[in-house]
Amino acid sequence: MNASTTPSGLRAIDLTDVSRRWGDVRSMVVIAAQLSVLMLVIQALNIENPVFHDRVIPLAFGGAVVHHFLPKAWRAWCFVALSITGFALVFGVTQVAWFLVLAAAMLAWLHLPIAFGLRFAGWVAMVAVLGFARAGTIPVPWSGALWPVFGSIFMLRAIVYVYELRYQKGPVDWKMTLSWFFMLPSVSFPFFPIVDFGMFRRTYYDKPAFAIYQTGVHWMVRGLTHLVLYRLVYQHLTLGTGEVDTGRELVQYLLANFALYLRVSGQFHLIVGLLHLFGFRLPETHRFFYLAASFPDFWRRINIYWKDFMQKVFFMPVYMPLVKKHGDTVALVVATAVTIFATWFLHSYQWFWLLGRWLFTVTDVLFWVILGVLLVAGSLRERKRGRVRPGTAETRTLRHQVRLGVQAIGVFTIMCVIWAFWNSPTLGDALALFAIKSWDWTATAMVLVTWMLVGVGAGVGERIRPPGHEDVVPPTAWGTLRTAAPLLAVWGMGFGVVNERLHGDVRGVLRDLQVAALNRRDANELQRGYYEELTGVNRFNGELWNVYVAKGNDWPRLQELGGTQSTRDLLRVQLKPYLGIMFHGHPFRTNRFGMRDGDYAQLPAPGTHRVAVLGSSYVMGDGVADGHTFEALVESRLNRERPVAGPVGWEFLNFGVAEYSPISNLMIMDNGRVSGFEPDVVLLVGHVIDMFTSHHVIEAVQRGWDLKYDYLRHIVDSVGARQGMSREELKNRLLPMEERLARESFQHIARVARERKLRLIWVLIPTPMQRPSPEREALLRSVMADVGIERIDMSDVYRGHDERALVVADFDRHPNTLGHRLIADRLYKELLARPHLLGGSPDTPATPATSAARP
């Protein structure tokens, strides 16, 4: 507080300064109030992931308030400290120590007092070595979870920094350098905008602080709105390529596929908004890109930071020398071609650091080639005719607005089509997408409505576009409140009193908007991913992508650890005998017969009641230690409590193997592997994913394996599926046959059980967080009823429990130790209710277990 000395010797308080400080406090209270509401909304809507909304957001919002009241010289260091704290909260102290060691080594090398060329060459060598480590060729002591964030910061952001170093003069401003490298949001968003280092420094508190903060809040609201819209599209509108048969489905696929990009624009708005809270007044990252009226306009509007990065590092260094020697046209064509090539390569480079593998595909190349040609053509046209600048008199004429609307419709339509090509696994799959069987008025209406919205939006948007966006005219708190109205409505409708009054369908949609979860199709894909190398992760499928990024290289499949051996036939794999490895953090042992179980005799001892348990990975016990699978727990408890008179003991043999489908279980029952152990009862454990067995047949067809059973051959022949077809083509043909495949597989299982005199029981046990449709689950039950297999239904086994606490990890939804205990307890009760399945008389009630005998 400033003060002056009066003639009487007393110090007078500077009221102007007091007023300014009080105004600061009041303004920060307004900002803090908005941030408090935003935090509640982010947590209620489960934005992104628990780490983000439970740790990073409270740290960022609380830190922003403290940061503002610090002396200006301390603020940047405060931001660095908050950023590193964020890393520690997410990854733990040990991993952050490794991260800082790597960062220090790289930064130290880049600042060595040697020639720039040597520093550059050394940096490239570091990138190469770390690239081998990322691919798993070189073992590293740090967690694989660090790679996506490390790659985002030091493999992409560092390119900008190396470029800046070449022209940098004067001493290094370490507080800004470290602020830029460790930007707090980086810890939650590996897919991060390429923030220009020079712009990052130039815009730091270059406007009044509260105007910057308010802009940040406004952009975060806009980003959250994009993310909620993305969820709406993802949960309710997306289709797989194999699900497109009609014109309506094709239009829906094209629109939804393009709309998934809302996730990226939402994340980028959220990231840049967060940075505004610390004084970094960065420009917007996207601007109404769906309404672009030309392809250069589209390039300028979508991912603006990437465009600036490409222009600075690739386009201008190529364009400027060429334009002097060969003229504007040649320079423009060559520089654009180089820029597009660099964009294509760096996108795959970025994905390599995120996922650990390259995503080079024919469709990827085709997309960038087509977009490059369109960009060159559009740029040459702009050079020839001139570009109409926003805000000029011409932009307010009806003729200009109509022309703009028509052009926007053309650009939008073409982008939808080539975007679909980009996200198709193969060129054949992309072309097959357009081989629709019918086109009706619904499809026509969808096209016309879309065109009308885009055309009118582009034309009217040009008329009402304000003279300056938030970069120039900061939003007010009231303006932000208006923008937040839809978001607040979604949040408000989630409260019990309001929610209970809504129609069931509306509540269902609201639930999907409020929860970050896989949609039904991707949940099935994820489930199948456990059975095969099928990820289905495309560039903008954010939820499934998140799962695989989080999984990282530290979570190998069992076959990658040498735990299984290929049978080179329809069975596909089996566990190796005498296995002793660590699998997903737990001891994993197999007996001499290749079962994850104790060392039983081939034949049961007299008086022993033997139960064979068949199923897939969760029966095998993926994610739990030896002896903690539910079948082992049930066996142990039966022998300890002996609730049924008759047998001298019980043996539960675990035939579960990761990747097994109903077809696999049919084979091991048919080839004598199960009956060779003379079980009294066979428990066939399944869940709704058993209705999706086409992936097994597709792999067999692709590999040319003998299908062994006539019903499989008939189904494959009836749809014309054959070896040499792409996976998507086989999916298109065989997915419609899912129900028939499942039904006939279970019919054959029941037949084999009768022939081999095996008492077969089907046990429905879902995995936690599984979201089967009621229709699909009902269909599975009806199949079992039709086939005539005795059933135990445990579909509600997790009722009353938080299913998130029952899975091995967010990215691995196998039941954990607690989940297996729940399953074991329930199965034990179900078996006691059926004492004949435990070797007792059906007329003899089971003996209730005493509390003293319980574990």
Side-chain angles (χ1 to χ4, degrees):
M1 183 181 296
N2 293 332
S4 59
T5 304
T6 64
S8 62
L10 297 175
R11 291 173 67 82
I13 297 174
D14 185 344
L15 295 179
T16 304
D17 191 56
V18 171
S19 175
R20 182 183 61 78
R21 286 176 178 266
W22 174 239
D24 259 20
V25 172
R26 281 188 304 175
S27 298
M28 184 46 83
V29 167
V30 173
I31 295 292
Q34 296 176 72
L35 293 179
S36 300
V37 175
L38 265 189
M39 185 165 68
L40 292 175
V41 172
I42 288 171
Q43 291 177 339
L45 300 183
N46 296 292
I47 293 299
E48 293 304 296
N49 52 64
V51 167
F52 177 69
H53 54 67
D54 290 343
R55 301 183 194 177
V56 175
I57 283 295
L59 175 72
F61 286 4
V65 176
V66 174
H67 169 273
H68 171 75
F69 290 107
L70 290 175
K72 286 187 178 178
W74 295 7
R75 288 181 181 173
W77 286 116
C78 172
F79 181 68
V80 174
L82 285 170
S83 300
I84 294 175
T85 303
F87 279 87
L89 286 175
V90 173
F91 294 110
V93 175
T94 304
Q95 298 303 319
V96 168
W98 278 115
F99 183 80
L100 293 178
V101 167
L102 289 169
M106 188 162 285
L107 284 173
W109 175 264
L110 289 175
H111 285 278
L112 280 179
I114 57 177
F116 175 79
L118 286 176
R119 285 183 283 160
F120 179 76
W123 173 71
V124 171
M126 284 186 190
V127 171
V129 171
L130 289 170
F132 282 112
R134 178 66 181 106
T137 308
I138 301 175
V140 292
W142 55 84
S143 166
L146 272 182
W147 280 121
V149 175
F150 186 81
S152 171
I153 295 177
F154 289 101
M155 299 301 122
L156 278 169
R157 206 170 295 168
I159 295 175
V160 181
Y161 192 67
V162 170
Y163 182 88
E164 292 280 341
L165 277 181
R166 185 170 187 180
Y167 303 100
Q168 182 175 304
K169 295 179 181 177
V172 179
D173 185 348
W174 282 108
K175 63 179 182 300
M176 294 305 289
T177 298
L178 297 178
S179 293
W180 182 75
F181 266 111
F182 300 129
M183 283 183 271
L184 177 56
S186 300
V187 72
S188 294
F189 298 97
F191 200 63
F192 206 84
I194 305 294
V195 178
D196 184 78
F197 185 47
M199 179 176 65
F200 184 78
R201 289 178 298 176
R202 283 194 308 274
T203 59
Y204 184 57
Y205 281 115
D206 66 339
K207 296 283 184 181
F210 290 105
I212 297 175
Y213 302 156
Q214 187 61 54
T215 303
V217 174
H218 193 84
W219 285 7
M220 283 192 286
V221 167
R222 190 183 291 175
L224 292 172
T225 306
H226 286 198
L227 291 175
V228 171
L229 283 173
Y230 158 80
R231 282 185 186 172
L232 180 67
V233 172
Y234 174 71
Q235 292 290 347
H236 295 276
L237 299 177
T238 52
L239 295 172
T241 53
E243 298 173 285
V244 176
D245 278 329
T246 67
R248 181 189 63 76
E249 290 165 346
L250 174 61
V251 176
Q252 180 179 335
Y253 177 89
L254 295 177
L255 294 175
N257 196 41
F258 196 21
L260 288 178
Y261 187 80
L262 281 169
R263 180 183 175 87
V264 178
S265 64
Q267 286 184 339
F268 282 16
H269 275 89
L270 200 53
I271 290 166
V272 174
L274 268 171
L275 292 173
H276 274 70
L277 301 181
F278 297 92
F280 300 104
R281 196 185 61 81
L282 298 168
E284 63 183 350
T285 63
H286 295 75
R287 185 166 180 78
F288 300 114
F289 50 92
Y290 289 129
L291 304 179
S294 70
F295 291 98
D297 190 30
F298 180 79
W299 180 255
R300 286 190 288 265
R301 289 172 180 244
I302 190 168
N303 202 348
I304 297 168
Y305 288 16
W306 184 270
K307 181 264 296 179
D308 291 343
F309 166 57
M310 285 288 111
Q311 185 158 342
K312 182 175 185 177
V313 178
F314 294 98
F315 183 88
M316 295 309 292
V318 175
Y319 177 83
M320 292 308 293
L322 285 177
V323 73
K324 296 177 182 174
K325 295 181 181 178
H326 304 286
D328 185 62
T329 301
V330 172
L332 182 69
V333 171
V334 174
T336 303
V338 170
T339 301
I340 290 296
F341 177 83
T343 298
W344 163 73
F345 176 79
L346 288 177
H347 268 80
S348 287
Y349 174 80
Q350 187 175 22
W351 282 96
F352 169 76
W353 288 103
L354 294 176
L355 295 176
R357 63 176 182 272
W358 295 90
L359 287 182
F360 291 140
T361 63
V362 173
T363 52
D364 190 49
V365 174
L366 190 63
F367 171 81
W368 289 110
V369 168
I370 293 174
L371 185 60
V373 170
L374 294 171
L375 275 173
V376 169
S379 299
L380 292 174
R381 184 173 179 275
E382 275 189 358
R383 294 291 173 100
K384 184 178 180 182
R385 300 188 176 183
R387 181 177 157 200
V388 179
R389 298 287 176 179
T392 59
E394 185 178 351
T395 62
R396 298 190 176 278
T397 64
L398 180 62
R399 180 181 177 184
H400 174 75
Q401 289 155 12
V402 170
R403 185 171 68 238
L404 211 63
V406 172
Q407 289 176 348
I409 289 171
V411 171
F412 183 86
T413 305
I414 292 172
M415 285 309 305
C416 279
V417 172
I418 65 174
W419 207 271
F421 270 77
W422 192 22
N423 288 287
S424 296
T426 68
L427 183 59
D429 298 329
L431 294 173
L433 193 64
F434 293 88
I436 54 175
K437 297 173 182 173
S438 62
W439 181 278
D440 58 17
W441 66 269
T442 310
T444 304
M446 290 170 68
V447 170
L448 293 177
V449 168
T450 303
W451 282 356
M452 184 187 72
L453 291 174
V454 172
V456 172
V460 173
E462 187 69 8
R463 172 176 281 276
I464 65 174
R465 180 189 288 193
H469 49 71
E470 291 88 349
D471 290 343
V472 180
V473 183
T476 63
W478 284 113
T480 299
L481 182 61
R482 285 196 299 273
T483 303
L487 190 67
L488 294 173
V490 171
W491 176 50
M493 285 189 285
F495 288 103
V497 177
V498 180
N499 192 265
E500 289 169 3
R501 295 175 181 274
L502 299 174
H503 186 274
D505 292 341
V506 177
R507 291 171 67 181
V509 172
L510 277 173
R511 177 204 60 200
D512 293 336
L513 297 183
Q514 293 167 344
V515 177
L518 295 174
N519 64 19
R520 188 173 298 122
R521 180 171 57 85
D522 282 346
N524 291 333
E525 290 288 292
L526 178 63
Q527 198 81 43
R528 293 177 190 186
Y530 293 136
Y531 303 137
E532 54 183 321
E533 188 58 40
L534 172 64
T535 62
V537 181
N538 67 25
R539 293 168 182 79
F540 301 104
N541 181 347
E543 305 303 334
L544 196 56
W545 179 83
N546 272 350
V547 169
Y548 281 89
V549 167
K551 197 157 87 170
N553 291 341
D554 295 341
W555 212 255
R557 301 165 71 210
L558 189 57
Q559 53 265 51
E560 292 169 347
L561 297 175
T564 60
Q565 56 192 19
S566 171
T567 60
R568 300 182 185 281
D569 61 11
L570 191 61
L571 183 61
R572 301 192 296 185
V573 295
Q574 58 190 16
L575 293 180
K576 289 181 179 177
Y578 296 113
L579 201 61
I581 59 175
M582 291 297 291
F583 179 50
H584 294 172
H586 297 288
F588 189 100
R589 298 182 182 86
T590 58
N591 63 20
R592 56 185 162 142
F593 301 112
M595 301 175 196
R596 195 189 183 190
D597 217 329
D599 193 16
Y600 300 101
Q602 175 80 45
L603 299 178
T608 299
H609 188 78
R610 180 169 275 188
V611 177
V613 185
L614 281 61
S616 57
S617 52
Y618 67 119
V619 175
M620 180 189 74
D622 190 333
V624 296
D626 294 334
H628 289 265
T629 57
F630 67 83
E631 58 83 20
L633 295 174
V634 171
E635 178 192 85
S636 175
R637 187 171 173 183
L638 281 170
N639 285 307
R640 186 172 62 251
E641 299 183 357
R642 309 187 61 79
V644 176
V648 297
W650 289 267
E651 290 178 348
F652 279 55
L653 275 58
N654 189 340
F655 287 87
V657 177
E659 305 188 13
Y660 269 22
S661 74
I663 296 173
S664 313
N665 291 321
L666 166 62
M667 289 191 69
I668 64 173
M669 289 178 64
D670 199 17
N671 65 15
R673 175 166 170 76
V674 176
S675 57
F677 289 86
E678 297 189 357
D680 298 288
V681 173
V682 175
L683 298 183
L684 178 61
V685 178
H687 52 82
V688 75
I689 199 68
D690 288 344
M691 290 301 296
F692 303 96
T693 55
S694 63
H695 63 92
H696 193 150
V697 181
I698 289 170
E699 183 180 357
V701 172
Q702 281 184 310
R703 295 177 183 271
W705 290 336
D706 179 15
L707 294 175
K708 190 173 174 60
Y709 298 100
D710 287 342
Y711 80 95
L712 292 178
R713 295 191 187 99
H714 290 157
I715 290 174
V716 168
D717 290 344
S718 69
V719 297
R722 61 181 181 278
Q723 190 179 15
M725 287 181 169
S726 72
R727 181 174 189 85
E728 289 301 312
E729 177 61 25
L730 290 172
K731 283 172 66 177
N732 288 342
R733 292 169 185 259
L734 285 166
L735 279 177
M737 311 302 290
E738 294 272 25
E739 181 181 340
R740 184 179 166 191
L741 277 169
R743 186 179 293 276
E744 296 201 25
S745 293
F746 283 116
Q747 285 173 346
H748 278 72
I749 288 174
R751 176 186 58 77
V752 170
R754 287 193 299 270
E755 291 174 356
R756 296 188 176 272
K757 302 185 186 308
L758 298 171
R759 180 154 201 165
L760 179 65
I761 312 294
W762 179 68
V763 188
L764 173 59
I765 304 178
T767 50
M769 299 180 70
Q770 196 179 46
R771 301 179 62 203
S773 69
E775 298 81 11
R776 184 65 64 175
E777 205 167 70
L779 178 60
L780 183 57
R781 288 194 184 94
S782 76
V783 167
M784 291 304 167
D786 295 344
V787 173
I789 301 177
E790 190 176 347
R791 306 183 300 281
I792 297 177
D793 190 340
M794 293 171 47
S795 55
D796 59 350
V797 64
Y798 309 117
R799 180 175 294 170
H801 296 270
D802 181 359
E803 295 189 26
R804 290 172 298 182
L806 303 179
V807 296
V808 172
D810 288 341
F811 52 81
D812 186 336
R813 298 178 181 180
H814 288 99
N816 59 17
T817 302
L818 179 57
H820 273 267
R821 284 182 191 161
L822 284 177
I823 297 172
D825 288 346
R826 174 65 177 274
L827 182 58
Y828 185 83
K829 292 175 183 173
E830 296 285 351
L831 292 174
L832 286 191
R834 300 167 178 82
H836 57 288
L837 298 182
L838 295 175
S841 168
D843 301 326
T844 304
T847 304
T850 62
S851 57
R854 290 183 182 278

